[in-house]
Amino acid sequence: QVQLVESGGGLVQPGGSLRLSCAASRNIFSINVMGWYRQAPGKQREWVATITSSGSTNYADSVKGRFTISRDNAKNTVYLQMNSLKPEDTAVYSCNARILGLTTYVYWGQGTQVTVSS
């Protein structure tokens, strides 16, 4: 079992920055993939970024060059640095952890609201 707790959301003006944190209840070194997803009102949840246990990262085209995902294994925390925020980035951002094996285990946090508005 892995409990994930997100923090760092809030209200920011267009062009501003926020850093989201996802704290895990256990050592994340053994978690194969951790990522961020978001869901805007009236829309389906979409993938934002992922980072593997080896540090490889991938980003959705909509955030590439603006967002950076990172992980601190010592703190059991994954971050999402969001720069040059746009109103269309407004959504609930959720952290995800996947443990791969004969059975894949998937865990989600409760989400944190990010609102980009002037």
Side-chain angles (χ1 to χ4, degrees):
Q1 280 280 7
V2 181
Q3 282 76 48
L4 303 171
V5 179
E6 301 96 333
S7 61
L11 173 64
V12 63
Q13 291 187 341
S17 298
L18 280 175
R19 189 177 78 157
L20 305 182
S21 299
C22 171
S25 60
R26 53 167 273 188
N27 193 321
I28 66 171
F29 183 79
S30 60
I31 297 177
N32 302 96
V33 185
M34 295 195 72
W36 289 93
Y37 291 72
R38 67 186 182 186
Q39 186 167 21
K43 294 186 177 182
Q44 289 189 332
R45 183 165 58 195
E46 65 172 348
W47 165 69
V48 175
T50 48
I51 185 166
T52 69
S53 55
S54 63
S56 296
T57 59
N58 279 289
Y59 300 91
D61 288 342
S62 59
V63 306
K64 200 171 293 183
R66 300 188 298 123
F67 291 10
T68 302
I69 189 170
S70 61
R71 60 195 290 163
D72 186 333
N73 290 340
K75 295 183 178 180
N76 297 330
T77 301
V78 172
Y79 302 99
L80 185 67
Q81 177 67 44
M82 305 185 295
N83 298 328
S84 303
L85 283 161
K86 305 175 182 179
E88 51 264 42
D89 294 318
T90 295
V92 175
Y93 284 71
S94 298
C95 181
N96 167 277
R98 278 184 283 155
I99 301 174
L100 308 178
L102 291 177
T103 300
T104 296
Y105 295 92
V106 182
Y107 303 94
W108 291 93
Q110 83 290 348
T112 185
Q113 176 70 47
V114 171
T115 303
V116 184
S117 175
S118 55

